[in-house]
Amino acid sequence: MFKAFSRNPLNTSLLRPTRVQLRKYRDSRYGWQHNRQQQQKQIWQTRGFWYTTGVAGTGGIIYYQQHLEDSPTGRRRFINVSPTQEHQTGLQAYQQILSQYQWQLEPPGTSTDRYVRRVAERIIKVTNMDLEWEIHVIRSKEKNAFVLPGGKIFVFSGILPVAANEDGLATILAHEIAHQYARHSAEKLSQARLLQVFYIIASFFVDPSVLQMGQAMSGLLLELPNSRQCEQEADQLGLYFMSMACYDPREAIRLWQRMKAAEQVSPPQFLNTHPSTDSRIDSIRNWLPMAESKRENANCPNPETTRAFFSQPWTKITVSRE
């Protein structure tokens, strides 16, 4: 009975699908992919698609051209972030940093606070920037300094021994203030927006995963310090600012030589992703004649006269917290 049943061709067909059944299963399993490819192919072939693409592309080019401007050194760049938006971004970061380092802030009026404030205020004055400036010193061994959009200055005490004197500190602060003067933060934010639009368009034509990758890259772009072009520009402007504030621009070379020595032990965060120290020193040497001319036009005393005051060694402080 069981043998006869096993040899029954009608019953065997129930266990082994036919070619027609296999084809139907394959079409139901993979047919959606085929249909999607056909739909995409049809979109690319429509006249409306190319019309829309042409109009959007032309509008994008016009928008980009309208937001091109010259940097203080004459470099063409794209900026579509207003000063108000830039300052708002800086204010948010300012509150976060104050909260993060609230127990490490140098109290106002101490010798360290007065030292840093004196140098910063001299440089701010020659830039003629009307901002709500705030100057803070953070007690930390970290060798770093930065200025947030809107004029919020932070100096980590660990960089003061490397600065060594007021001329050296002026080199550092003038560089950071130059970033604010040239609106480099707005430039980076604008680049991030531009990349975001590009990745959205790319994800529509290529793969949605490209959008996620683009968002990550845009976030990374905002986290990273300024590009080498911006850094070089800040070096140049900063050298001129410190000279106009009657500091000795020649000290900038010695400062970067000390920075280079500090790199051998523990690379300062101030130098992260910046141009090589040797190339910076070479550029500064090229800019020195103009810097000295600006110093002379500002009716500053002879550098040898001010050296006795501005080049006094920095008194090492005890860092209680990192």
Side-chain angles (χ1 to χ4, degrees), residues 104-223:
Q104 296 173 249
L105 295 176
E106 186 74 25
T110 64
S111 58
T112 302
D113 177 75
R114 292 197 307 270
Y115 175 77
V116 173
R117 189 175 297 275
R118 179 171 64 247
V119 177
E121 288 177 349
R122 288 177 65 93
I123 297 170
I124 290 170
K125 185 177 180 179
V126 302
T127 65
N128 294 320
M129 285 189 289
D130 185 17
L131 299 173
E132 296 181 0
W133 293 94
E134 298 288 349
I135 304 169
H136 300 281
V137 178
I138 298 176
R139 295 173 177 173
S140 171
K141 293 181 180 180
E142 185 176 337
K143 304 177 181 67
N144 198 11
F146 55 85
V147 178
L148 294 175
K152 314 307 180 186
I153 300 175
F154 287 91
V155 177
F156 290 75
S157 58
I159 205 171
L160 297 179
V162 181
N165 51 58
E166 286 198 30
D167 287 322
L169 181 58
T171 304
I172 295 171
L173 290 179
H175 170 94
E176 294 302 324
I177 291 172
H179 280 308
Q180 170 68 67
Y181 182 85
R183 298 193 63 209
H184 287 158
S185 296
E187 183 176 347
K188 302 297 286 185
L189 287 169
S190 300
Q191 290 176 359
R193 286 183 176 183
L194 200 62
L195 280 176
Q196 188 74 358
V197 172
F198 171 79
Y199 288 124
I200 290 175
I201 295 174
S203 67
F204 177 77
F205 292 115
V206 184
D207 192 325
S209 63
V210 177
L211 176 58
Q212 297 178 354
M213 181 181 67
Q215 291 173 336
M217 292 182 65
S218 297
L220 182 62
L221 182 63
L222 290 175
E223 295 291 332

Side-chain angles (χ1 to χ4, degrees), residues 57-67:
T58 302
I61 293 174
I62 295 174
Y63 180 83
Y64 180 83
Q65 293 290 336
Q66 288 179 339
H67 289 82

Side-chain angles (χ1 to χ4, degrees), residues 29-156:
R29 177 66 178 84
Y30 301 105
W32 67 273
Q33 294 181 349
H34 177 73
N35 292 335
R36 183 182 180 184
Q37 292 174 356
Q38 290 296 323
Q39 291 174 359
Q40 290 178 344
K41 184 178 180 181
Q42 291 174 1
I43 293 175
W44 280 83
Q45 292 176 343
T46 60
R47 184 175 300 177
F49 168 82
W50 291 108
Y51 177 79
T52 304
T53 302
V55 171
T58 302
I61 293 174
I62 295 174
Y63 180 83
Y64 180 83
Q65 293 290 336
Q66 288 179 339
H67 289 82
L68 286 178
E69 62 179 53
D70 291 332
S71 73
T73 60
R75 177 175 58 86
R76 295 292 284 174
R77 62 185 180 175
F78 172 79
I79 291 186
N80 68 343
V81 175
S82 68
T84 301
Q85 293 172 327
E86 181 186 6
H87 293 175
Q88 186 63 35
T89 301
L91 185 60
Q92 294 174 358
Y94 178 59
Q95 296 301 329
Q96 292 175 358
I97 293 173
L98 285 180
S99 176
Q100 180 180 354
Y101 294 102
Q102 59 181 323
W103 304 113
Q104 296 173 249
L105 295 176
E106 186 74 25
T110 64
S111 58
T112 302
D113 177 75
R114 292 197 307 270
Y115 175 77
V116 173
R117 189 175 297 275
R118 179 171 64 247
V119 177
E121 288 177 349
R122 288 177 65 93
I123 297 170
I124 290 170
K125 185 177 180 179
V126 302
T127 65
N128 294 320
M129 285 189 289
D130 185 17
L131 299 173
E132 296 181 0
W133 293 94
E134 298 288 349
I135 304 169
H136 300 281
V137 178
I138 298 176
R139 295 173 177 173
S140 171
K141 293 181 180 180
E142 185 176 337
K143 304 177 181 67
N144 198 11
F146 55 85
V147 178
L148 294 175
K152 314 307 180 186
I153 300 175
F154 287 91
V155 177
F156 290 75

Side-chain angles (χ1 to χ4, degrees), residues 238-257:
L239 189 70
Y240 296 161
F241 289 154
M242 69 176 292
S243 301
M244 295 162 61
C246 295
Y247 290 105
D248 187 357
R250 296 173 298 180
E251 183 64 24
I253 294 177
R254 291 186 282 269
L255 179 278
W256 289 114
Q257 289 172 339

Side-chain angles (χ1 to χ4, degrees), residues 9 11-19 21-22:
N11 291 329
T12 303
S13 65
L14 296 176
L15 302 176
R16 186 171 58 192
T18 64
R19 293 182 179 179
Q21 291 173 324
L22 287 173

